Amino acid sequence: MAKILIVEDEPAIRMGIKDNLEYEGHEVLAVETGETGLQAARDERPELVILDVMLPEMNGFEVCKTLRGEGFPGGIIMLTARKEDVDKVRGLNLGADDYVTKPFSVVEFVARVNAVLRRGGRASEPMARFRFGDIELDFLNYQATKGGEPLSLTPREFKILKLFVENRGRVISRNELLDKIWGYTIFPTTRTVDNHIVRIRKQIEPCPSKPEYIISVRGVGYKFDG
Ligand code: CA
């Protein structure tokens, strides 16, 4: 069973796909606009997104490109109504795993869905960008911005943030941080870790004394909640 997100504004198609995938045993979320689809993909982290091209607010091409730019690891199948769209999906290198042209048969559609799920999305691709709140991290260029303004993080602080993002929702102990960020060559204390966290919080937290993103887990370490 996989978690699948459908982004399609035509009710008949949306409900038809939803029913069929639920019948196959999947957990299915369905939304109607590009904006809500993007947000649902970020929040729910589905294994697969079924993405219509022609959508209100933000079209499917933009949604796909944005998600891949942020390192979205799941599969993406585009739904297209026109031959030109198929060429565009192929030509733009948006990061879609497959496309299906309307009208389509349910049997074929379910087969495509299963094929993309079997391939397991793109989990192995490194993340290029990550956004939380008004913070944007660019992992390729080691740059961080808050509300569009550059932050002055040291390379080590940036590395710590990257580790948090890659393990979001999981508690990372001080010892794990020492091991992965400082390595075995020098011997800083857990106090060093805490000092770095204080400095990162000053830059990224709206209220550093009441952190929302880098949460302290008493007696263990920290957890990133982005
Ligand atoms: Ca549509």
Side-chain angles (χ1 to χ4, degrees):
M1 190 194 94
K3 192 196 261 189
I4 300 176
L5 169 68
I6 301 167
V7 191
E8 164 66 271
D9 58 321
E10 287 157 70
I13 299 180
R14 186 173 66 245
M15 295 321 290
I17 296 175
K18 186 170 189 283
D19 287 349
N20 276 286
L21 293 178
E22 278 174 347
Y23 183 77
E24 293 284 310
H26 300 299
E27 182 191 344
V28 185
L29 310 156
V31 299
E32 296 169 39
T33 70
E35 291 277 0
T36 50
L38 185 60
Q39 209 47 53
R42 285 171 179 157
D43 296 342
E44 302 289 338
R45 299 263 136 195
E47 277 126 299
L48 175 68
V49 181
I50 315 283
L51 186 57
D52 186 34
V53 169
M54 295 296 286
L55 290 167
E57 293 172 25
M58 189 182 192
N59 72 37
F61 295 130
E62 291 170 70
V63 175
C64 185
K65 212 172 129 199
T66 306
L67 283 176
R68 288 307 188 209
E70 293 173 2
F72 176 74
I76 298 178
I77 296 179
M78 308 279 300
L79 297 182
T80 65
R82 299 175 305 171
K83 170 76 174 63
E84 303 90 85
D85 289 340
V86 174
D87 295 339
K88 216 167 164 188
V89 173
R90 281 182 181 144
L92 284 178
N93 245 331
L94 298 163
D97 296 280
D98 201 357
Y99 58 88
V100 174
T101 342
K102 298 176 194 173
F104 48 82
S105 84
V106 170
V107 176
E108 188 204 346
F109 179 75
V110 170
R112 298 278 191 95
V113 165
N114 289 333
V116 171
L117 286 175
R118 265 198 309 276
R119 289 205 296 269
R122 327 196 128 206
S124 59
E125 286 209 354
M127 193 184 281
R129 274 193 296 279
F130 187 78
R131 267 195 359 208
F132 59 98
D134 59 349
I135 309 283
E136 181 149 3
L137 303 174
D138 176 347
F139 294 120
L140 298 177
N141 300 303
Y142 268 64
Q143 279 168 352
T145 56
K146 183 181 167 69
E149 297 294 316
L151 291 176
S152 55
L153 293 167
T154 65
R156 178 162 281 147
E157 287 162 359
F158 195 88
K159 225 172 137 184
I160 294 172
L161 261 180
K162 185 167 191 261
L163 183 70
F164 276 129
V165 167
E166 285 168 349
N167 294 279
R168 56 191 176 279
R170 176 170 83 78
V171 179
I172 302 181
S173 71
R174 288 184 177 80
N175 281 330
E176 183 176 350
L177 278 158
L178 281 174
D179 180 22
K180 292 197 169 140
I181 305 295
W182 280 267
Y184 290 111
T185 47
I186 50 168
F187 296 92
T189 62
T190 50
R191 178 84 204 196
T192 313
V193 174
D194 295 340
N195 289 339
H196 275 76
I197 300 296
V198 168
R199 285 210 296 273
I200 296 172
R201 276 178 176 158
K202 272 193 190 140
Q203 300 227 30
I204 66 161
E205 295 283 356
C207 178
S209 59
K210 291 195 195 93
E212 291 171 26
Y213 299 125
I214 301 179
I215 316 289
S216 299
V217 181
R218 226 202 174 107
V220 189
Y222 298 96
K223 189 173 90 167
F224 179 74
D225 223 347

